[in-house]
Structures are given as C-alpha cells and as structure tokens.
Amino acid sequence: MDILRAEKLCISFGGLAAVKNVSFRVPQHKIVSLIGPNGAGKTTVFNIITGFYQADSGSVELSGKIINHVSPEKRISLGMARTFQNVRIFRQMTVLENVLIGHRRHIRYSVLSGLLHNRAWRTAEAQAREECCGILEQIGLLEDRDTVCGNLAYGKQKKLEIARALASRPKLLLLDEPAAGLNPQETQELSAFICTLPSDELSVLLIEHDMSMVMNISDYIYVVNQGEQLAEGLPETVKRNQDVIDAYIGKGGVRRFAEG
C-alpha cells in the first residue's frame, strides 16, 4: 500500500506554471527522493503536499484519503511531518523543549491535572521527555538537550528539525534538503540515520542536492525539471539517464553524476 499518492499536480503563480502534471507515490516503509536542478519545482511540490500551497488541479492522497483541502495543521494530525529548506526552530528555547513541542499532541492528561501538576501530569511529562530524549540520542543531539537552540551550529539545527518532526510520530516524513550545511562526516552520519527510519509505521520523502546521499539511501527516485516530471526509477537507472544528467548538471558532468 502507498502512504502517499500525488496525481497530476499543477500550480501556477502569476500565470507562470511552476508545477505541471507531476505524479508520484511513496510506498510504505520506503525512502523516495524527489530531485532536480535549482528551480525545478521540488519545494513547490513539497508545499502542495503539506498544504502550504493549494494545487490548481490534481490530487494528494494520504493513507487512501484525499487531503487537497486539509490544512497543514490537520495534516500533521493525520500523520504527516516535514522539515524546511531554511531552518525553522524556536531559537530561544532549548533543544529538548523544541522536540517536546513536536510531541505535545501525544501528551494526555486533563486540564485539571495540568493546573495542579499532579501525578498524572508528572507521569505524562516524564514519559514525553523520555521519548524525546530517545529521539535526540538517535540523531546525536542528546548531549545538547539543554542548549539554547540559537547557540547551536547550523548543522545541528538541521538535525534538530528532523528530531522535532519525528517527535510527532508521523507516518510520512518529508525532508527538505536535510544535508544542507552539514560537513561530509555529518552527512554520512545523517544518511545512516535516515536509512534506519523506514518501518511499517514510517516512510520518507526526500529532497536533496547531495547526489551521493540520494543514490545511497533512496529506494526510488523521481526527477523533475522546469516544473515537469522528467524521469523516475531505481537509483542505478536514474543516475545513467542521459536526460537527467543533461538537465541536472549539464553536458560534461556525466562522470561526476554517475559516481554519485
């Protein structure tokens, strides 16, 4: 079964078509990547999928339900979470506090318990902290849990966004250039972490410019160029597609792309 289906998505801005008839699917417990050159329309597709943009036509289906007119907030409750190309964190809060915000909707206690800070409240809060600390440990940020986020290096801020998204317990995690700002070692560590994510409960949709990362961790790849779908296939197929090579890196870049 597919966790996500996008069918013939189209959107225009000021009469200029930004996305034209783009279709793709994300099967359960898989990593699917959406790639293409700068300005290809990848982030616009992400914004349609997550409800920040309303498509002019086409459909978005999550777990078998059409969600075209569902708000971004409601999509989170339906099991969708994303990160952003430009980091969006609460800079004056600590790392753990940021992640707890992502987990907040899963904390269960009554209004009275919240006011009295009784045993039910303490138990729920302790369980939430334990779960969020576990996520931070997995992604390598546990030692920074009490650090104010504004003091984190940019690469760690990118990881924090992923941790906060995971804390919402999504069925589908959308990652918008997660390796941007990371050094090679951090990128390798993040790639290894992302590979551990797919399960019966979680699938991943990825936008990324690091071709080595994309080719190494993706189960399937879709390519867009100038807002249109250019190619799709397994990594080994996509990396040898001449149309993709020409569109993505231009003539003369064949060897560098193929070795990605």
Side-chain angles (χ1 to χ4, degrees):
M1 179 180 174
D2 296 329
I3 186 68
L4 178 74
R5 281 182 177 269
E7 296 290 342
K8 298 182 179 180
L9 298 180
C10 297
I11 190 170
S12 298
F13 300 104
L16 179 65
V19 173
K20 295 171 282 187
N21 293 315
V22 171
S23 300
F24 61 91
R25 64 188 185 92
V26 180
Q28 287 184 328
H29 58 264
K30 297 293 183 182
I31 299 174
V32 174
S33 290
L34 185 66
I35 68 170
N38 287 330
K42 304 181 298 298
T43 296
T44 300
V45 171
F46 255 41
N47 285 334
I48 294 172
I49 297 301
T50 53
F52 287 85
Y53 292 162
Q54 180 67 51
D56 297 330
S57 60
S59 64
V60 179
E61 186 177 307
L62 180 68
S63 298
K65 178 181 179 181
I66 299 294
I67 59 170
N68 285 40
H69 301 291
V70 175
S71 68
E73 296 78 13
K74 181 64 175 177
R75 295 185 197 208
I76 294 174
S77 68
L78 292 175
M80 181 181 291
R82 72 167 293 180
T83 64
F84 293 85
Q85 189 172 346
N86 298 314
V87 174
R88 300 187 184 183
I89 57 175
F90 299 99
R91 299 180 62 82
Q92 302 304 316
M93 300 175 71
T94 67
V95 167
L96 180 56
E97 287 170 342
N98 266 264
V99 180
L100 282 167
I101 287 175
H103 183 71
R104 184 57 53 184
R105 72 185 185 89
H106 296 292
I107 301 178
R108 296 287 185 266
Y109 50 75
S110 67
V111 174
L112 182 61
S113 293
L115 291 172
L116 298 178
H117 287 191
N118 60 14
R119 179 179 295 180
W121 176 86
R122 292 194 299 271
T123 299
E125 289 290 330
Q127 290 173 343
R129 290 176 65 89
E130 182 179 2
E131 180 173 338
C132 291
C133 283
I135 294 171
L136 289 173
E137 184 174 21
Q138 288 178 321
I139 206 167
L141 290 176
L142 183 59
E143 292 183 358
D144 297 297
R145 61 186 178 275
D146 296 321
T147 301
V148 174
C149 295
N151 297 329
L152 286 177
Y154 183 74
K156 288 188 175 183
Q157 291 181 14
K158 297 284 286 189
K159 291 182 178 181
L160 173 59
E161 265 207 320
I162 298 175
R164 187 177 59 193
L166 288 171
S168 70
R169 301 178 188 168
K171 301 174 184 176
L172 176 66
L173 177 63
L174 297 97
L175 301 176
D176 193 348
E177 297 193 27
L182 304 186
N183 62 41
Q185 180 178 346
E186 289 173 327
T187 299
Q188 185 175 8
E189 292 171 355
L190 182 62
S191 297
F193 175 71
I194 293 173
C195 284
T196 69
L197 294 178
S199 66
D200 290 340
E201 291 78 34
L202 181 62
S203 304
V204 178
L205 178 61
L206 171 75
I207 290 176
E208 183 53 61
H209 281 296
D210 188 317
M211 283 299 98
S212 178
M213 179 181 186
V214 168
M215 295 300 168
N216 286 333
I217 73 174
S218 302
D219 293 302
Y220 203 80
I221 298 173
Y222 292 88
V223 188
V224 292
N225 185 42
Q226 298 180 349
E228 297 184 89
Q229 203 153 333
L230 181 64
E232 65 175 273
L234 299 173
E236 288 298 319
T237 301
V238 169
K239 71 163 46 175
R240 289 176 171 78
N241 185 305
Q242 189 61 50
D243 290 336
V244 174
I245 293 169
D246 291 344
Y248 202 87
I249 58 177
K251 306 282 186 180
V254 176
R255 180 179 177 184
R256 178 165 61 87
F257 189 85
E259 291 177 349

